[in-house]
Amino acid sequence: MPQPSSISWVILAGGQASRMGGNDKGLIELNGKPLVKHVLDRLSAQTAHITINANRNQDAYASFAPVISDSVADFPGPLGGIHAGLQNTDTDWVGFVPCDTPMLNQDLVERFTSSITEASDILVAHDGNFVQPVFTLYHKRVLPKLTEFLERGERKIILFYKECNVVNVDFSDSPDCFVNLNTPQELEQFGSLS
């Protein structure tokens, strides 16, 4: 089984952030620090191999980590960033987390790594009630299947998972890990709590 050091991780910041008024979500500040930096700080304590998937403001993101952009046109959602991550990394396994989740678990990388099996194509976080489809770890062998899926015009991540061998990773003891901030109101509320 791979070691955490042999897995690449990608922070997904490539979306359109329509609920954030079109502002680039990862660069919006929470308690004086861009959201992406909160995620990066938590992730970089667990792994050294981190890139950011961004389709706007690449220079701003590049000040935090190397940046990769979608190769599929028209903002295909998280799968566009996942596709770019699989295309642009050298490791067999590539993990993904969104840029707007400042409460990432300190043991997220370890939990995913220890859940890998020979047969698993994709590992997905589960909070005890729901799958958290963008907290995920992919084996590179799914790249041709994902390319074909996107070329068919498909965009729904859950539909893609039905075509692969998916293993859930248990995070039922720490559902706060997945708190994401989608609107200015959520951001303000969270900032006053933290």
Side-chain angles (χ1 to χ4, degrees):
M1 290 299 107
Q3 295 303 305
S5 59
S6 66
I7 298 173
S8 304
W9 285 84
V10 178
I11 300 173
L12 297 169
Q16 291 175 288
S18 47
R19 286 179 289 181
M20 205 53 101
N23 293 316
D24 200 330
K25 203 172 355 177
L27 299 176
I28 290 173
E29 293 205 346
L30 170 68
N31 298 339
K33 193 161 71 168
L35 277 174
V36 72
K37 181 78 168 92
H38 286 273
V39 175
L40 184 66
D41 288 350
R42 292 220 168 195
L43 202 52
S44 59
Q46 303 175 55
T47 179
H49 305 279
I50 302 172
T51 53
I52 297 172
N53 163 246
N55 296 308
R56 303 181 290 167
N57 302 308
Q58 280 97 338
D59 291 347
Y61 282 112
S63 68
F64 301 110
V67 173
I68 54 175
S69 299
D70 293 2
S71 60
V72 180
D74 305 324
F75 287 107
L79 284 176
I82 289 167
H83 183 264
L86 292 171
Q87 275 186 323
N88 289 287
T89 47
D90 299 329
T91 54
D92 286 342
W93 288 96
V94 186
F96 300 91
V97 294
C99 67
D100 60 349
T101 50
M103 307 275 290
L104 266 194
N105 269 36
Q106 311 284 7
D107 66 347
L108 180 124
V109 170
E110 171 56 35
R111 285 192 197 213
F112 272 100
T113 306
S114 62
S115 300
I116 290 171
T117 67
E118 286 291 322
S120 47
D121 293 328
I122 301 172
L123 290 86
V124 183
H126 196 286
D127 66 10
N129 292 311
F130 302 103
V131 164
Q132 297 289 334
V134 191
F135 294 81
T136 186
L137 180 62
Y138 278 63
H139 194 281
K140 209 159 193 163
R141 66 175 158 257
V142 304
L143 180 58
K145 192 183 283 193
L146 178 55
T147 302
E148 194 265 328
F149 183 83
L150 291 169
E151 284 171 354
R152 288 199 316 252
E154 299 285 0
R155 297 294 181 258
K156 289 197 174 359
I157 200 165
I158 296 294
L159 282 181
F160 182 64
Y161 290 167
K162 289 183 176 160
E163 298 184 16
C164 301
N165 185 2
V166 176
V167 174
N168 286 346
V169 181
D170 184 18
F171 283 84
S172 57
D173 62 334
S174 51
D176 287 353
C177 171
F178 308 111
V179 168
N180 68 323
L181 306 173
N182 284 311
T183 66
Q185 293 76 15
E186 287 176 7
L187 192 71
E188 195 178 321
Q189 206 173 9
F190 185 87
S192 61
L193 292 175
S194 59

